[in-house]
Amino acid sequence: MKVFKKAIKNLKIDNQTGFGTNAANYGGRFLDKDGSANIEKRGLPFFDQISWFHTLLRLPAWKFQIIIFSVFILVNFIFASIYYFIGIEHLNGIVASSEIEKFAQAYFFSAQTFTTVGYGHISPQGFLTSAIAATEALTGLLGFALATGLLYGRFSKPKAHLKFSENAIIAPFQGGKALMMRVASYKNTNLTDAEVKLTLAMRVEENGVYVNRFFPLDLEYSTINSLTLSWTLVHYITEESPLYEFSKEDFENEKGEILVFLKAFDEMFSNTVAIRTSYIFQEIVYGAKFLQMFEHSNDKTKTVIHIDKLNLFEQIEM
């Protein structure tokens, strides 16, 4: 991009982003839409690359529940198999006419032992069977302690319940144009002292070598006292902006990415929460205007914000 190459020497560069500058060895976008780094780590065994605690805390609720139930079923199946192969006769109280029924009752005895319920209908007989039952009871206690800790961690973990618009837009602003994107709180939480930072990431040519360069984007307001409604982040594109004189074709054809970092104080957790996302140039709509997403209620006693309208915009002529 000729315009960008001419202006780059006069632009402020951010060298503290944490991303590399070697463009030749970098692939894809810097951040995924969910804010996670677009990085794949190799060179270590699989189990050494993953923090299972953090992974289980971040899993979607339905996946976490599937893992809990799967582990419960698998562990009880293993212990039921041990009881079955030792001999069902070592479990007092089992009355079954088929092998399937015998295994099923051994499985349910395992479930009762694992959960330390112990209905008393079936009991172990002999040293070996009793030792296995005691081992299973201890395994159950430790397993449920771990599951309880994970469940509590998932509920108590500070999280920024914020949504960004799927697209950023280039819209008319104060006689010129501006880059805009919207963010809104979608839970019944109170977020105060919100602060945001925007960075433009570009692959540029310097002395015949392509490098990654990061340019801070000044905002109309980079902090607000309370994030109660939607917040439209506005970067006014002036002559000092790295996006100055970018055309619609530039956004469609060039490779670039807007990195968004936002943090706020959550009164419920009494802690700072943070969230990030990014917009590649192809996700920026040139010549658009966000539609209003909040209004007063019918009795005019409340303000109603429509979170489902966060990304609604209309095309306009620039």
Side-chain angles (χ1 to χ4, degrees):
M1 180 181 299
K2 294 182 179 179
V3 173
F4 195 76
K5 287 180 180 178
K6 290 180 181 178
I8 189 172
K9 293 182 179 180
N10 301 322
L11 296 177
K12 181 180 178 181
I13 297 177
D14 186 354
N15 295 318
Q16 299 177 338
T17 61
F19 297 103
T21 59
N22 191 337
N25 295 331
Y26 226 101
R29 61 196 302 162
F30 294 96
L31 294 177
D32 292 324
K33 292 297 289 183
D34 63 359
S36 59
N38 185 29
I39 301 293
E40 179 182 343
K41 298 179 181 179
R42 297 181 181 179
L44 286 174
F46 176 75
F47 291 103
D48 291 340
Q49 298 179 22
I50 298 176
S51 170
W52 292 105
F53 178 74
H54 291 86
T55 300
L56 290 172
L57 287 184
R58 295 181 60 185
L59 276 179
W62 66 273
K63 288 186 178 181
F64 181 75
Q65 292 173 1
I66 288 177
I67 289 177
I68 294 296
F69 284 118
S70 299
V71 170
F72 179 80
I73 293 171
L74 177 62
V75 171
N76 282 295
F77 182 85
I78 292 173
F79 277 101
S81 300
I82 295 174
Y83 295 130
Y84 181 81
F85 287 116
I86 288 177
I88 298 300
E89 63 273 11
H90 296 292
L91 294 176
N92 296 325
I94 287 185
V95 179
S97 57
S98 66
E99 297 301 317
I100 294 179
E101 284 187 72
K102 291 179 181 179
F103 184 83
Q105 293 201 34
Y107 180 87
F108 290 121
F109 168 74
S110 171
Q112 295 167 23
T113 304
F114 188 74
T115 58
T116 68
V117 173
Y119 291 121
H121 173 64
I122 303 173
S123 60
Q125 177 184 346
F127 176 80
L128 181 59
T129 308
S130 298
I132 294 173
T135 302
E136 181 178 11
L138 177 61
T139 303
L141 287 172
L142 296 176
F144 279 103
L146 179 61
T148 302
L150 289 170
L151 188 61
Y152 174 77
R154 290 175 62 87
F155 275 101
S156 62
K157 182 185 68 172
K159 180 181 179 182
H161 297 289
L162 296 167
K163 285 186 180 294
F164 286 95
S165 57
E166 289 296 320
N167 297 97
I169 63 173
I170 301 295
F173 183 74
Q174 296 182 358
K177 57 185 178 180
L179 170 71
M180 301 182 186
M181 64 278 296
R182 281 201 298 203
V183 61
S185 173
Y186 63 92
K187 292 279 189 179
N188 56 334
T189 56
N190 294 321
L191 298 177
T192 60
D193 299 324
E195 181 180 353
V196 68
K197 178 181 179 181
L198 260 61
T199 303
L200 169 65
M202 285 286 295
R203 181 172 178 263
V204 299
E205 184 179 357
E206 294 182 2
N207 301 321
V209 179
Y210 283 98
V211 295
N212 295 325
R213 286 289 178 240
F214 302 91
F215 308 95
L217 300 180
D218 295 330
L219 291 170
E220 180 189 22
Y221 300 106
S222 60
T223 61
I224 57 173
N225 295 332
S226 179
L227 216 170
T228 54
L229 296 173
S230 62
W231 184 13
T232 302
L233 310 179
V234 179
H235 166 65
Y236 188 26
I237 302 177
T238 63
E239 293 183 0
E240 290 75 28
S241 170
L243 296 176
Y244 186 64
E245 293 188 0
F246 268 45
S247 65
K248 180 179 180 181
E249 290 72 23
D250 292 329
F251 285 107
E252 292 175 348
N253 301 322
E254 295 293 331
K255 290 184 178 181
E257 186 173 352
I258 307 296
L259 310 179
V260 186
F261 303 87
L262 190 152
K263 61 181 180 180
F265 184 79
D266 191 318
E267 295 180 359
M268 181 65 67
F269 291 113
S270 189
N271 203 345
T272 298
V273 293
I275 190 172
R276 50 187 186 173
T277 189
S278 76
Y279 300 88
I280 58 175
F281 278 2
Q282 286 67 38
E283 294 168 340
I284 299 176
V285 181
Y286 193 92
K289 177 183 178 182
F290 281 122
L291 300 180
Q292 188 75 11
M293 61 180 293
F294 58 88
E295 60 186 357
H296 60 72
S297 59
N298 293 333
D299 58 2
K300 297 184 179 180
T301 61
K302 285 184 177 295
T303 301
V304 180
I305 180 168
H306 301 276
I307 303 298
D308 56 336
K309 296 182 179 181
L310 183 63
N311 196 55
L312 290 186
F313 56 84
E314 61 180 359
Q315 299 281 167
I316 59 175
E317 292 292 332
M318 293 293 294

